[in-house]
Amino acid sequence: MRTDITLDEVARHNKADDLWIVIDSKVYDLSRFIDAHPGGSHVLLEMAGKDATEEFYSLHRHAILKKYPKLVIGSVAGQSPKILQDHGTISQVPFAESSFWMGSKSPYYTESHVAFRKAVRRFIEDELLPHAQEYEDNGGKIDVSLFQKMGRFGLLASRIGPGLHLKFVPSLPAGVKPEQFDYFHEQIAHEEMSRLGSPGFADGLGAGFCIGLPPVLAFGTKDMIQRVVPSVLLGDKRICLAITEPYAGSDVANIRCIAKKTPDGKFYIVNGVKKWITNGHFSDYFVTAVRTGGAGTSGISMLLIERSEGLETKQMKTSYSAAAGTAYVTYDNVKVPVENLIGKEGGGFPVIMYNFNHERWYIIAAMNYASRMVVEECFKWAVQRKVFGKPLVEQPVIRFKLAKMVSEVESVANWLENITYNMTKMTYKEQSMHLAGPIALLKYRCTRVAHDVSDEACQILGGRAITKTGLGSVVEAFQRTYKYGAILGGSEEIMADLGIRMALKQFPKTARL
């Protein structure tokens, strides 16, 4: 490949049948590509024989160039690429990463966390990102091989916290030892998954797993754990949590799905429906809330139900990509061995509540890094986009919007790190007592911030923010799906109320104005 091409030589190739352009020092021969160009031939003819770097980046994402390496015939003499996207590295765009990763000091992170993030980011870019857009656009059941790669790499195990389950996998990312692994490692894993920029695909790769497996680990029998957990952590099987029904969402106490024991006491017969079950369409195991007794919370039990005769799932059409596997699940006389009871009969409500704090914390970690990624997109666009003869970022109103977005995202990030630190110092029971309120309030704040970020980002990118492809694709996906975080795991209104109710329990009786 030539490295001695001059701009004068490029200028001579300026016709439809002999068309060269320069993009960031590289010379492209588009003579045979002009008729295939999705934007038509006129756009290319305008730039024939010229340096088209600025025009290219006003119309396309950098990733487009990776699709056409064969069109490159050389580089301009004395020039080298100025636009670099190093593989698996930490972004240098202001506020694209949380403060420690941008150079600030932190008491929370160690070299282990640094190596872990780099390893996870590199794995996601190599193994998952190449499939993201296809699944996000077309849906379909995600190939089990992707789950198996995540499982063998240790990414699945990393997404459900510290614990003995980490020993079920060959290794963890960056060689982190199970005894070293803490909640900051897990937080990083959730954050990195959110950077896929394809919300439906990202949730399809294990959102149901993150909330479905913990009840088995915490309340399942030794036999159940040995039978189920290894295959799920290695990605050979999929699991989901099935609580919500058409009749009961936040009001868990009113679920109607019924489980009755057979006369010989060996099985439960389950009948009912579940709705909006993430990953349900392709799961093998369903951790299901059922009614085994009377009304109220004392009549609820939890069962591990395997995909079997009488259990059917139907894909639901939502704002998400179908890749999330959101399902309507029907149980029609499903026969479940009594050994599949999770915890005690009638003790299902504590099992459900046990993991709510962790689920909400996980949503915060993923949601806020998704918001941060949108901030990064806006920074890049504001710098490279030119309007009225100067970069968009030179408009004071745009800088104000960026300032608003950054200040809100950073506030959530710092509160999250404080909560995560406390999690590393508390037992699960202590977390339930002391962190339930702060986590609920932070989830409320996080999803309000996501709303504001989406709103401002749409105004900054304009029409591109409502276009599924091209420069605004990440923002478009975010603005279409961010409300999931405001509903799943507890709605904003319930989170706000819970946070204050928990605070009032600690209100001193002696306090007065």
Side-chain angles (χ1 to χ4, degrees):
M1 189 171 294
R2 292 178 57 189
T3 59
D4 61 346
I5 303 174
T6 65
L7 291 176
D8 286 339
E9 183 179 358
V10 173
R12 292 195 293 271
H13 298 271
N14 58 8
K15 300 179 178 62
D17 59 350
D18 182 18
L19 196 162
W20 292 9
I21 65 170
V22 178
I23 301 176
D24 193 25
S25 79
K26 293 183 179 179
V27 180
Y28 291 78
D29 183 349
L30 306 183
S31 307
R32 296 183 179 180
F33 177 73
I34 187 170
D35 291 334
H37 184 238
S41 61
H42 178 73
V43 178
L44 297 183
L45 287 170
E46 276 193 314
M47 299 309 302
K50 301 175 184 177
D51 188 324
T53 303
E54 186 174 308
E55 286 75 9
F56 175 84
Y57 284 103
S58 72
L59 298 170
H60 299 293
R61 302 182 74 88
H62 182 79
I64 289 292
L65 296 176
K66 296 179 181 179
K67 292 184 176 182
Y68 303 104
K70 293 182 179 180
L71 297 179
V72 180
I73 59 173
S75 59
V76 176
Q79 291 189 12
S80 57
K82 295 179 180 179
I83 299 165
L84 302 174
Q85 291 195 351
D86 293 335
H87 178 62
T89 58
I90 302 300
S91 176
Q92 298 302 307
V93 174
F95 306 105
E97 315 277 359
S98 51
S99 59
F100 171 76
W101 311 94
M102 300 303 295
S104 295
K105 305 299 181 185
S106 171
Y108 303 130
Y109 299 106
T110 66
E111 286 301 315
S112 173
H113 299 114
V114 173
F116 184 84
R117 187 183 288 279
K118 288 180 179 179
V120 172
R121 183 166 295 189
R122 196 173 299 116
F123 173 85
I124 290 173
E125 289 186 4
D126 285 344
E127 303 294 345
L128 305 182
L129 190 58
H131 306 281
Q133 201 58 53
E134 180 183 353
Y135 276 111
E136 189 75 6
D137 292 342
N138 302 324
K141 295 181 180 179
I142 298 173
D143 196 297
V144 69
S145 66
L146 293 182
F147 288 91
Q148 291 170 335
K149 287 179 180 178
M150 289 192 295
R152 272 65 174 176
F153 180 65
L155 182 54
L156 291 177
S158 297
R159 297 180 68 193
I160 51 174
L164 296 176
H165 66 277
L166 297 174
K167 296 183 178 180
F168 282 116
V169 295
S171 63
L172 296 174
V176 175
K177 302 297 182 186
E179 56 272 18
Q180 294 177 306
F181 190 92
D182 63 17
Y183 286 109
F184 281 106
H185 289 100
E186 184 191 356
Q187 178 183 317
I188 289 168
H190 295 313
E191 290 173 344
E192 289 301 310
M193 285 297 295
S194 74
R195 292 186 76 258
L196 276 167
S198 302
F201 177 60
D203 273 4
L205 288 171
F209 153 85
C210 290
I211 58 178
L213 193 60
V216 176
L217 287 167
F219 298 96
T221 63
K222 289 184 178 179
D223 176 69
M224 183 186 296
I225 290 172
Q226 289 292 332
R227 178 165 50 91
V228 173
V229 173
S231 62
V232 172
L233 290 179
L234 291 172
D236 298 326
K237 298 284 187 178
R238 273 71 64 85
I239 194 169
C240 66
L241 184 67
I243 296 176
T244 303
E245 299 180 359
Y247 331 99
S250 298
D251 188 9
V252 177
N254 282 327
I255 64 165
R256 299 186 191 177
C257 188
I258 296 175
K260 293 185 177 180
K261 277 185 178 176
T262 54
D264 60 10
K266 293 182 178 181
F267 298 93
Y268 288 101
I269 304 300
V270 180
N271 284 281
V273 297
K274 299 292 179 180
K275 195 172 185 180
W276 299 291
I277 305 306
T278 307
N279 297 175
H281 190 49
F282 49 70
S283 282
D284 302 288
Y285 299 111
F286 298 76
V287 176
T288 306
V290 295
R291 186 163 298 286
T292 53
T297 58
S298 62
I300 297 174
S301 300
M302 292 294 285
L303 291 176
L304 175 72
I305 302 180
E306 300 182 40
R307 186 178 285 274
S308 55
E309 185 178 354
L311 190 157
E312 293 187 2
T313 57
K314 298 177 183 178
Q315 181 86 51
M316 291 182 61
K317 293 182 179 180
T318 70
S319 300
Y320 255 165
S321 161
T326 306
Y328 184 84
V329 186
T330 59
Y331 304 81
D332 187 7
N333 291 322
V334 180
K335 195 173 184 181
V336 183
V338 294
E339 290 80 11
N340 282 25
L341 179 68
I342 300 173
K344 298 178 181 179
E345 187 170 299
F349 193 71
V351 175
I352 295 170
M353 299 305 293
Y354 174 83
N355 200 51
F356 260 144
N357 282 340
H358 189 266
E359 177 185 356
R360 290 163 184 164
W361 170 83
Y362 141 58
I363 291 172
I364 296 164
M367 190 90 234
N368 203 52
Y369 234 75
S371 293
R372 188 181 289 282
M373 188 175 180
V374 170
V375 172
E376 180 182 13
E377 294 280 302
C378 289
F379 257 99
K380 289 178 178 178
W381 177 245
V383 170
Q384 74 190 57
R385 172 66 165 171
K386 287 192 175 181
V387 291
F388 307 115
K390 56 185 179 180
L392 182 63
V393 76
E394 291 192 20
Q395 301 291 336
V397 67
I398 298 299
R399 295 197 298 273
F400 178 80
K401 289 179 180 296
L402 290 170
K404 181 182 177 183
M405 296 161 75
V406 167
S407 61
E408 293 195 23
V409 168
E410 288 295 330
S411 67
V412 172
N414 281 274
W415 193 357
L416 173 62
E417 288 180 341
N418 176 268
I419 286 176
T420 304
Y421 174 75
N422 278 275
M423 288 169 64
T424 68
K425 302 298 180 182
M426 294 180 182
T427 64
Y428 229 77
K429 185 176 181 180
E430 289 173 327
Q431 292 176 32
S432 298
M433 293 173 59
H434 301 292
L435 297 181
I439 287 174
L441 289 174
L442 182 55
K443 182 177 182 292
Y444 163 71
R445 185 70 203 128
C446 175
T447 54
R448 282 290 85 202
V449 166
H451 173 83
D452 291 344
V453 167
S454 174
D455 189 47
E456 299 292 3
C458 285
Q459 297 309 112
I460 290 173
L461 272 86
R464 289 170 176 81
I466 53 174
T467 304
K468 286 191 174 184
T469 57
L471 289 161
S473 59
V474 171
V475 174
E476 188 281 330
F478 185 80
Q479 62 89 11
R480 181 167 34 87
T481 59
Y482 77 88
K483 287 300 290 184
Y484 276 74
I487 298 169
L488 303 180
S491 69
E492 288 183 341
E493 293 78 10
I494 287 177
M495 292 296 92
D497 182 62
L498 173 61
I500 299 305
R501 284 192 292 108
M502 294 297 288
L504 288 173
K505 289 182 179 181
Q506 308 300 321
F507 191 87
K509 294 181 180 179
T510 56
R512 294 293 186 277
L513 290 176

